Amino acid sequence: MEKPKVYFTDFRTIAFGDGLPTKLKKLLKRAGIGKIDMDGKFAAIKMHFGELGNISYLRPNYAKAVVDVVKELGGKPFLTDCNTMYPGSRKNAIEHLECAWENGFTPLTVGCPVLIGDGLKGTDDIAVPVSGGEYVKEARIGRTIMDADVFISLTHFKGHEMTGFGGTIKNIGMGCGSRAGKTDQHSSGKPHIDQALCRGCRRCERECANNGLEFDATAKKMHVNQEHCVGCGRCLGACNFDAITFSGDNAVELLNRRMAEYTKAVLDGRPNFHISLVVDVSPNCDCHGENDAPILPNLGMFASFDPLALDQACADACLKAAPLPGSQLSENMAKPGFIDQHDHFINSTPESEWHTCLAHAEKIGIGTRDYELVIMK
């Protein structure tokens, strides 16, 4: 069986030559996006518009490059993402659109409409059966995304505080889930707060949308309400004092597998194509209202019809790169007693895990981790 091809180009440009958006267009065409019948078809381009305060998300220029190619092929593109399950600037369609506009994603800048996939309040979803699903029988996916004829993912490949990295599968599986779908995926693990380490700063409380955290004003310590907590992990990324850990050893693994099954629900039965940019590799998700210094250098742009091969190729490229000085990763590696896991993502966030996501994605038929890398200059 022929290996799926993953096409790659770096971020180098020659003086007075192509800019990066033009280089991205050439990559998409070389990777074969033109094989998809786009004529008159609605094409959903799933991406992340960035939380307000975070500036590591993909620039709108990259989105416009993808939009331009889809239009050249006769398609009717729109940019989309679903609402979040936590507080912030993207929890309903009005605030989500205002956030997207402030971060530069408008019809004038990207050349197409921006639509929120699960509606005004995150309730406009559809139950999609998961073929071969072991953990999810029906995935709750934003209706607008499922209504599209063609699905394209445009991913910012970066670190993540739970899943190790946020790649194509996370962009699709978690990102296309409605608010109910995101809760469904996160509901396996619950955090624990070490009272000796908790400073009572209450920063984690601001990240919780489900009344899953309770503050003891007398002791000035935070506690987890196990009944209300859905295990989303936002508090983990918010704590600067390492006071929050996850009590379920298999919680992240279950999240990874559910995320893979949500991805399968989104992709099954329609043409799909995937792009991933390894740039501004922040240690945490773009859902944070801030971004830390990148842990790895800018490596390049990748594209493939196989989302799993794409994630594996991006991960492989990252693991071969040298950590950047002054980053969370390099500082962790310099700590006394550091044990090298030979994995930049786990070394950056030891509580994270990503291998089970890709293994389960392969098991349920999303794609393959064995790929051929085609380098384009």
Side-chain angles (χ1 to χ4, degrees), residues 9 53 86 96 121 185 197 314 341 345 368:
T9 190
Y86 50 80
H96 203 156
K121 298 181 179 179
Q185 292 175 74
L197 296 177
C314 291
Q341 301 298 318
F345 301 109
T368 176

Side-chain angles (χ1 to χ4, degrees), residues 27-178:
L27 178 70
L28 305 188
K29 294 173 182 178
R30 175 77 183 277
I33 194 172
K35 296 176 184 176
I36 298 176
D37 178 11
M38 298 272 193
D39 191 26
K41 304 291 198 312
F42 292 110
I45 302 173
K46 167 63 180 76
M47 67 175 304
H48 194 303
F49 303 125
E51 191 73 19
L52 288 181
N54 188 310
I55 58 171
S56 68
Y57 59 88
L58 294 181
R59 292 176 176 85
N61 312 64
Y62 293 119
K64 187 175 188 303
V66 180
V67 168
D68 288 347
V69 171
V70 172
K71 283 183 172 180
E72 285 177 26
L73 296 172
K76 298 180 178 180
F78 62 94
L79 301 187
T80 189
D81 195 7
C82 286
N83 292 306
T84 61
M85 59 178 286
Y86 50 80
S89 53
R90 299 178 300 119
K91 61 184 178 294
N92 60 64
I94 292 176
E95 294 177 19
H96 203 156
L97 284 172
E98 289 174 343
C99 172
W101 299 339
E102 188 164 338
N103 283 343
F105 297 91
T106 72
L108 289 177
T109 58
V110 299
C112 73
V114 180
L115 305 177
I116 303 306
D118 58 345
L120 178 62
K121 298 181 179 179
T123 57
D124 187 14
D125 59 13
I126 183 170
V128 182
V130 180
S131 176
E134 298 178 23
Y135 302 89
V136 179
K137 299 305 178 185
E138 287 187 332
R140 306 297 307 192
I141 307 297
R143 185 178 298 273
T144 297
I145 291 172
M146 292 310 300
D147 279 346
D149 304 302
V150 176
F151 181 86
I152 298 169
S153 67
L154 174 59
T155 300
H156 173 215
F157 195 93
K158 68 281 182 190
H160 192 274
E161 57 275 16
M162 291 183 71
T163 61
F165 61 73
T168 298
I169 290 176
K170 187 174 189 303
N171 182 27
I172 300 170
M174 184 60 66
C176 292
S178 65

Side-chain angles (χ1 to χ4, degrees), residues 257-275:
R257 293 180 183 119
R258 287 174 172 161
M259 202 162 59
E261 295 190 1
Y262 262 69
T263 299
K264 194 168 194 294
V266 172
L267 299 181
D268 273 356
R270 59 177 165 173
N272 56 88
F273 185 84
H274 311 281
I275 309 126

Side-chain angles (χ1 to χ4, degrees), residues 213-235:
L213 294 172
E214 296 177 346
F215 184 67
D216 183 336
T218 302
K220 292 184 170 52
K221 300 289 185 179
M222 193 64 68
H223 298 273
V224 177
N225 183 319
Q226 296 291 332
E227 181 180 352
H228 293 159
C229 174
V230 300
C232 70
R234 289 284 297 177
C235 58

Side-chain angles (χ1 to χ4, degrees), residues 273-332:
F273 185 84
H274 311 281
I275 309 126
S276 193
L277 276 60
V278 185
V279 59
D280 296 325
V281 187
S282 53
N284 296 320
C285 183
D286 289 344
C287 293
H288 282 253
E290 79 292 323
N291 58 284
D292 201 359
I295 60 175
L296 298 170
N298 297 341
L299 298 179
M301 303 183 281
F302 298 74
S304 180
F305 282 99
D306 187 321
L308 175 55
L310 183 60
D311 265 355
Q312 186 67 63
C314 291
D316 289 345
C318 287
L319 296 182
K320 293 175 184 176
L324 288 179
S327 68
Q328 175 176 294
L329 172 58
S330 61
E331 288 180 358
N332 279 356

